[in-house]
Amino acid sequence: MTVTQNLPSLLIYAPVPLFFCAGEYYVERQAVNGLRLWAQHFHPVTVMMPLDAAPRNTPPPQGWVPVRTHLEDLAGVRIEPVPMAYRPDQFVRALPRTLRQIRALIDKADYLSFAIGGLFGDWGAVSCLAAHQMQRPFAVWTDRVESEVMRQQLEQGSNRAQAGDDNGIDHGTWRSQLRARLYHRPMARLEQMVIRRAHLGLFHGAETFETYRGFCRNPQLVHDIHISSRDHIDESSLAAKAASVTKGPLRLVYAGRAEAMKGPIDWTTVLERLKVMGVDFEATWLGAGAALPQMRARIARAGLADRVHFAGFVEDQSEVLKQLRAAHLFLFCHKTPESPRCLIEALTCGTPILGYGGAYARDLIANHGGGMLVRRGDTDALAQQVARLDADRTRLAAMIRKAHADGAPFTDVSVFAHRSEILKQHLPGPDRGAAKQHPENKGRHPTSPQRRGGEVGSPRLNSTALNG
């Protein structure tokens, strides 16, 4: 008997889409790493993922890799595609069959953990409600407050419209505004309904934890990161970085999508202000998105094209980390309540985070002070903080060391081990019934050890068979 045969099974829902092109399935590279790490603690790991509805030969996005090339990483992982059904009509048509699929998978798994976020087509929320109906304890996972993100999108659009700004990207299209107006309230009610029924809440980052803890009987603050211990900046490189910061232009960086929720126009506004203040700097934005054309245009009009580099999407994670290590400050203008991994990645590279305040960012630098935060939306205050650090390079060098200390605890192995232990500790597993853990479940059937093993779902959907 192998070690994996002694592990309990796990069913999760991950809203990262699958793509099908040229006869094979593609999955996001970081999702492969996450599934690999889950499989160190559970066997089998069954993951439900939405299958993109694009024509079957549409090339997948950058960052997606063939399942066929990662079969070793995905050993013990079974991928169950579910329909991508974000329109109401699509969801209604897909619900009966997909619900039967979900219920069958729930019945065979020892542990259940579902990511939520959305309304129509949110199979994570459907899975939670199905598990509750089947009297199976489950965990809910989220890394941002989706309903609040949508509400803020609506509010920002209304404010910009009242100001007569119809050319900005931050308020999105009229369709997205209409969708936000119709969806954000029922989305919030669905979030609360699901979380109240969950036996365990896994909330990535303090932003989501603080928002949802009041609705959850057992909220847990966790993190999600795909940086290994080898990816952290080493001590000699850290010392060299701190020593070199005393001279030369201030190097600023951001890594993430150029989309409204990331505050890309605020980011360029800060750079424009720094030029007026006489700060000598170089800045790089790593990431693609709808805002890039407007960002480039603004930087060109400000006469900063020689100081600001837009790298676009960078698929090579080692190159992203190289850029983060080379930077003196990670400048961010996140506008919504989320828990972006890029802040942790910056800290592990010894790069202080400087940007808009929020519970997540405050928590990350609470121990050592590896960054500085200002009120959300205050670009003048953010530019002032950058200028002060530029003028006091000794203080900046000390902050670089503090940032490294704040990032030290975070590795992919440790955070997935932590979440796995929480699941096993707080949810009834194959050897103990739900009634032992939760009095309200008195008289319900315990999770049966006989549900373990065996194939989960159709054989053509496990990771080996996906690509024949």
Side-chain angles (χ1 to χ4, degrees):
M1 179 177 291
T2 63
V3 173
T4 56
Q5 288 175 315
N6 292 323
L7 295 175
S9 61
L10 172 68
L11 173 65
I12 63 175
Y13 172 73
V16 183
L18 283 170
F19 289 84
F20 188 85
C21 180
E24 62 181 338
Y25 286 88
Y26 288 76
V27 66
E28 187 193 28
R29 188 186 303 275
Q30 287 193 341
V32 172
N33 184 57
L35 292 170
R36 176 186 68 83
L37 293 167
W38 277 126
Q40 294 179 6
H41 303 277
F42 299 93
H43 182 82
V45 173
T46 302
V47 54
M48 299 179 287
M49 305 177 80
L51 179 61
D52 189 82
R56 291 175 74 85
N57 286 323
T58 301
Q62 292 175 302
W64 266 250
V65 294
V67 172
R68 167 183 50 82
T69 61
H70 289 79
L71 295 181
E72 184 176 347
D73 288 332
L74 296 173
V77 174
R78 291 161 186 170
I79 300 175
E80 286 275 347
V82 292
M84 186 173 284
Y86 295 127
R87 289 204 326 252
D89 59 318
Q90 295 172 333
F91 179 66
V92 170
R93 287 196 301 269
L95 180 59
R97 180 176 180 179
T98 308
L99 183 56
R100 288 194 297 271
Q101 177 186 1
I102 290 170
R103 289 175 65 91
L105 294 170
I106 289 173
D107 193 54
K108 294 177 180 178
D110 293 328
Y111 290 94
L112 309 173
S113 180
F114 306 118
I116 64 166
L119 191 61
F120 296 106
D122 183 0
W123 297 119
V126 171
S127 299
C128 291
L129 296 175
H132 177 73
Q133 187 180 51
M134 296 169 68
Q135 303 178 354
R136 290 292 309 278
F138 65 91
V140 63
W141 154 269
T142 187
D143 64 353
R144 68 179 189 172
V145 186
E146 194 70 41
S147 60
E148 181 63 14
V149 169
M150 189 160 283
R151 189 197 66 78
Q152 288 188 14
Q153 174 185 321
L154 175 64
E155 184 179 85
Q156 291 162 11
S158 299
N159 291 342
R160 294 180 71 91
Q162 291 172 9
D165 181 1
D166 293 325
N167 298 315
I169 57 91
D170 280 2
H171 63 284
T173 65
W174 69 267
R175 285 188 178 88
S176 65
Q177 284 292 290
L178 178 61
R179 182 171 177 267
R181 185 176 299 278
L182 295 174
Y183 282 15
H184 77 90
R185 288 188 181 90
M187 190 181 292
R189 288 194 289 270
L190 178 61
E191 291 166 356
Q192 294 177 24
M193 179 192 302
V194 166
I195 291 170
R196 289 184 193 278
R197 286 160 172 76
H199 289 68
L200 176 64
L202 301 177
F203 301 122
H204 169 41
E207 201 83 51
T208 54
F209 180 79
E210 293 299 331
T211 299
Y212 291 130
R213 64 184 303 181
F215 304 115
C216 186
R217 72 183 73 179
N218 186 2
Q220 298 286 331
L221 174 63
V222 298
H223 290 284
D224 183 47
I225 191 70
H226 292 278
I227 298 294
S228 73
S229 58
R230 298 186 304 274
D231 294 324
H232 285 229
I233 190 170
D234 59 61
E235 290 294 338
S236 61
S237 299
L238 179 69
K241 176 175 180 174
S244 68
V245 79
T246 56
K247 56 186 178 181
L250 190 66
R251 295 195 294 269
L252 310 174
V253 72
Y254 180 78
R257 293 175 290 118
E259 302 291 350
M261 63 187 295
K262 306 299 183 182
I265 304 308
D266 288 28
W267 194 81
T268 57
T269 300
V270 173
L271 301 187
E272 292 166 0
R273 179 63 179 155
L274 290 176
K275 180 189 178 185
V276 172
M277 297 170 71
V279 176
D280 185 16
F281 70 90
E282 299 170 351
T284 298
W285 182 291
L286 305 166
L292 276 184
Q294 187 182 357
M295 295 174 74
R296 289 193 176 103
R298 288 190 59 143
I299 290 300
R301 286 198 302 269
L304 289 170
D306 60 335
R307 296 203 218 176
V308 182
H309 175 55
F310 296 102
F313 177 76
V314 181
E315 183 171 359
D316 186 355
Q317 181 68 7
S318 63
E319 178 60 26
V320 173
L321 295 176
K322 178 181 176 182
Q323 294 285 342
L324 293 181
R325 294 188 197 105
H328 300 148
L329 290 172
F330 187 90
L331 182 67
F332 69 98
C333 301
H334 298 152
K335 292 191 165 187
T336 55
E338 57 170 333
S339 303
R341 294 191 295 256
C342 58
L343 300 189
I344 296 178
E345 292 169 353
L347 293 172
T348 65
C349 293
T351 304
I353 59 174
L354 200 63
Y356 292 168
Y360 174 66
R362 284 195 300 271
D363 180 63
L364 292 181
I365 59 175
N367 288 336
H368 301 282
M372 298 180 68
L373 305 172
V374 303
R375 182 173 58 85
R376 189 169 286 164
D378 195 341
T379 54
D380 284 341
L382 188 52
Q384 290 285 350
Q385 293 292 357
V386 174
R388 290 190 184 105
L389 286 172
D390 176 63
D392 190 348
R393 296 298 183 94
T394 301
R395 183 185 178 199
L396 177 57
M399 191 175 288
I400 285 173
R401 297 185 185 91
K402 293 176 180 178
H404 174 252
D406 281 324
F410 296 104
T411 68
D412 55 359
V413 171
S414 65
V415 299
F416 275 86
H418 178 232
R419 283 154 59 188
S420 298
E421 181 59 32
I422 288 175
L423 281 173
K424 294 175 182 179
Q425 179 181 350
H426 294 283
L427 291 183
D431 298 322
R432 51 196 174 105
K436 297 179 183 178
Q437 188 77 352
H438 300 288
E440 71 186 69
N441 288 334
K442 185 177 181 181
R444 298 180 180 180
H445 294 292
T447 305
S448 170
Q450 280 71 39
R451 288 175 177 160
R452 296 176 55 193
E455 287 294 324
V456 178
S458 170
R460 68 183 179 87
L461 297 177
N462 58 47
S463 61
T464 303
L466 274 174
N467 290 281

